[in-house]
Amino acid sequence: MTHHKGVNLRDVKVNDTQEFIQVRPYQEGSLEDLWQVRSSCESGRIVALKCSECGLLPRAVRVVGGTEVSPGRWPWQVSLYHGSQHHCGGSVLAREWIVTAAHCVHRRLQASAWLVFAGVTTHGSMKQEAGVSVKKIIYHPLYNDSSLDYDIAVMKLQVPLNFSDAIRAVCLPPPHQDLFQGTQCWVSGWGYTRPDQGQVAETLNEAPVPLIGTKRCNSSCVYGGELTARMLCAGYLPGKIDACQGDSGGPLVCQDRFAWRLVGIVSWGRGCAEPNHPGVYTNVAQLLPWIYRVTEIY
Ligand code: ARG
């Protein structure tokens, strides 16, 4: 929801078959638990909600083992420049909000040092644009710099993005959705396309990466208990395809019946695309209350 206002029933057009949802006040819990369907509106006072569109693909990535993409393929992907360099990826949540990894902004909290590039896939084209300035950077208070637990941050932009075919918001996942291992998801970014290359990619790359169950990923031959509940794994145990340096903060998205959702944020991995060391992502569904709280307050 991006905007709401109170209106009088007599000022809006309703037909006879229209039903109302009554929201009972003063109760804890989610909106879905509080509402009741009514055939009439006794008070005559209603609330108009303006919802934000997200997760839609238009008509129409350091990622190791991936493929180059053109603008509009992942319209929520942004490049975060620190100084004059690509530093991390990020995702558009709303016109004024970008979500990224806490380890990208930690010790770099000066908002004026950052620029956000949306709607473009090559660094060549970013260099010809002004970019969007950042007003505020907020990272999770429980972020742990050594374990990378709670690796999430948001940036509020100085000016709202203009949405287009090439710039759109990604949806957040629902709070209680089972993430089944093997679900095909996608990672995108400008990170290294070869682990030893030491240079970010000129063009955005994408790669398909299936989710890996936490039990498996935390087993002794993989990450041996290093994963917390705020992390999830995606990729391949034989290696070869993975996110890498420079992809951090960027999206891991999975498509459900309705939309593309930001299931993970590129966080860490041992090396890149190595056997038994798949990519580790921030588990976004576990951090929704924090996202909603900060984007509501600031
Ligand atoms: N920490 C890295 C960054 O800052 C991302 C590492 C992701 N590694 C991986 N193997 N998936 O860009």
Side-chain angles (χ1 to χ4, degrees):
M1 202 255 293
T2 61
H3 184 74
H4 67 275
K5 80 178 196 209
V7 285
N8 285 318
L9 184 53
R10 56 172 195 278
D11 298 334
V12 292
K13 268 198 224 107
V14 288
N15 57 34
D16 300 343
T17 57
Q18 186 128 18
E19 290 191 315
F20 298 87
I21 296 284
Q22 182 178 28
V23 181
R24 286 172 291 153
Y26 313 123
Q27 279 187 29
E28 300 265 323
S30 72
L31 195 53
E32 286 91 337
D33 300 332
L34 295 184
W35 66 34
Q36 275 172 348
V37 180
R38 300 270 187 237
S39 54
S40 63
C41 175
E42 298 301 325
S43 70
R45 299 206 323 263
I46 56 183
V47 177
L49 304 177
K50 185 171 171 200
C51 299
S52 133
E53 245 180 22
C54 67
L56 304 174
L57 286 181
R59 283 165 268 114
V61 214
R62 172 204 157 151
V63 177
V64 177
T67 320
E68 290 188 352
V69 303
S70 41
R73 169 77 167 133
W74 303 114
W76 41 82
Q77 168 90 55
V78 296
S79 167
L80 304 180
Y81 270 54
H82 188 258
S84 56
Q85 273 176 26
H86 168 89
H87 186 66
C88 270
S91 307
V92 177
L93 278 188
R95 282 173 212 280
E96 311 187 78
W97 288 102
I98 303 297
V99 63
T100 184
H103 81 259
C104 291
V105 300
H106 181 67
R107 302 208 191 91
R108 291 184 182 86
L109 289 171
Q110 197 194 333
S112 61
W114 291 89
L115 276 179
V116 175
F117 292 91
V120 278
T121 54
T122 64
H123 291 296
S125 42
M126 291 177 212
K127 302 237 152 73
Q128 318 207 320
E129 281 187 20
V132 181
S133 312
V134 175
K135 190 189 270 177
K136 198 168 180 69
I137 301 172
I138 306 145
Y139 67 90
H140 201 289
L142 297 176
Y143 167 65
N144 183 320
D145 203 22
S146 48
S147 65
L148 293 184
D149 204 3
Y150 296 90
D151 194 8
I152 191 168
V154 290
M155 289 179 164
K156 184 164 192 178
L157 303 178
Q158 288 278 9
V159 285
L161 295 168
N162 276 323
F163 282 6
S164 65
D165 277 356
I167 308 178
R168 288 166 193 264
V170 68
C171 298
L172 288 167
H176 314 286
Q177 189 176 45
D178 288 323
L179 295 171
F180 294 108
Q181 84 176 326
T183 302
Q184 192 65 267
C185 300
W186 291 80
V187 64
S188 48
W190 287 272
Y192 302 175
T193 51
R194 271 180 292 150
D196 48 3
Q197 168 193 50
Q199 202 185 330
V200 298
E202 165 62 19
T203 305
L204 182 64
N205 274 250
E206 64 174 21
V209 283
L211 300 183
I212 300 173
T214 297
K215 237 196 188 144
R216 205 147 167 231
C217 202
N218 234 350
S219 67
S220 55
C221 53
V222 187
Y223 283 121
E226 284 182 62
L227 301 189
T228 68
R230 274 70 53 192
M231 300 175 189
L232 57 86
C233 294
Y236 305 86
L237 293 182
K240 297 204 170 33
I241 301 176
D242 192 8
C244 202
Q245 262 36 53
D247 288 325
S248 277
L252 172 76
V253 289
C254 316
Q255 194 176 27
D256 65 16
R257 279 195 298 144
F258 308 104
W260 285 92
R261 299 187 186 272
L262 185 72
V263 165
I265 298 169
V266 179
S267 180
W268 61 279
R270 196 158 309 146
C272 300
E274 285 179 12
N276 280 328
H277 293 129
V280 183
Y281 297 80
T282 310
N283 189 345
V284 175
Q286 295 296 315
L287 299 165
L288 294 171
W290 180 81
I291 298 175
Y292 289 129
R293 195 165 352 110
V294 295
T295 53
E296 213 169 277
I297 296 174
Y298 293 104

